[in-house]
Amino acid sequence: MEAVVYLFSTNVPQILVRGVTSMHAAFGLIMGYTLAKGIRKNGKMSIMPAVLIATIIHGTYDLVLDPSLIDKWGGLALALAILCMGLNLYNFYWMSKARKNPYYTDPLFPEAAISSNDEGA
């Protein structure tokens, strides 16, 4: 829904910046990492921290893009966009190394993986 709004209300440079920085992908990475880390550590989902971290970053970015605030806080929006782009680039590097480590490739819920394999047999 957000992308449809931007399609009709923005300009080409902003669309290109949003595409190159892939901020929503970074927010998904943050949420997925936080959820998986909580499951590994506590054995239960910790949805609130995952949602809160991504929401705070996204909300801050959107807030400082307000025309009345952009002159004073526009640098923060740029810094967040660069941070997300860097996070996405680092993720590609990290995934190329982590895919060989069973800690990262084993299922988070092994019993669910076993039961779903049994049903298909």
Side-chain angles (χ1 to χ4, degrees):
M1 294 302 292
E2 184 178 14
V4 171
V5 171
Y6 281 113
L7 178 66
F8 294 110
S9 66
T10 192
N11 53 32
V12 173
Q14 187 177 18
I15 291 171
L16 291 174
V17 167
R18 291 176 63 84
V20 168
T21 58
S22 302
M23 292 181 76
H24 287 113
F27 301 143
L29 292 171
I30 291 168
M31 290 178 72
Y33 177 81
T34 307
L35 280 171
K37 196 73 162 175
I39 291 169
R40 284 272 186 205
K41 280 182 137 181
N42 305 329
K44 59 185 172 192
M45 277 201 222
S46 48
I47 294 172
M48 287 304 285
V51 172
L52 282 175
I53 292 168
T55 302
I56 288 169
I57 295 170
H58 192 300
T60 302
Y61 178 78
D62 284 348
L63 177 69
V64 299
L65 287 180
D66 184 85
S68 64
L69 298 174
I70 197 153
D71 289 338
K72 191 179 273 190
W73 295 97
L76 179 59
L78 180 62
L80 288 172
I82 291 170
L83 175 75
C84 288
M85 186 172 65
L87 181 61
N88 287 328
L89 292 173
Y90 176 75
N91 182 55
F92 284 115
Y93 167 77
W94 181 83
M95 282 177 42
S96 69
K97 299 223 177 259
R99 66 184 173 158
K100 300 171 188 158
N101 187 341
Y103 178 79
Y104 298 111
T105 58
D106 287 347
L108 283 175
F109 303 107
E111 62 280 352
I114 292 170
S115 66
S116 65
N117 287 340
D118 290 343
E119 290 173 8

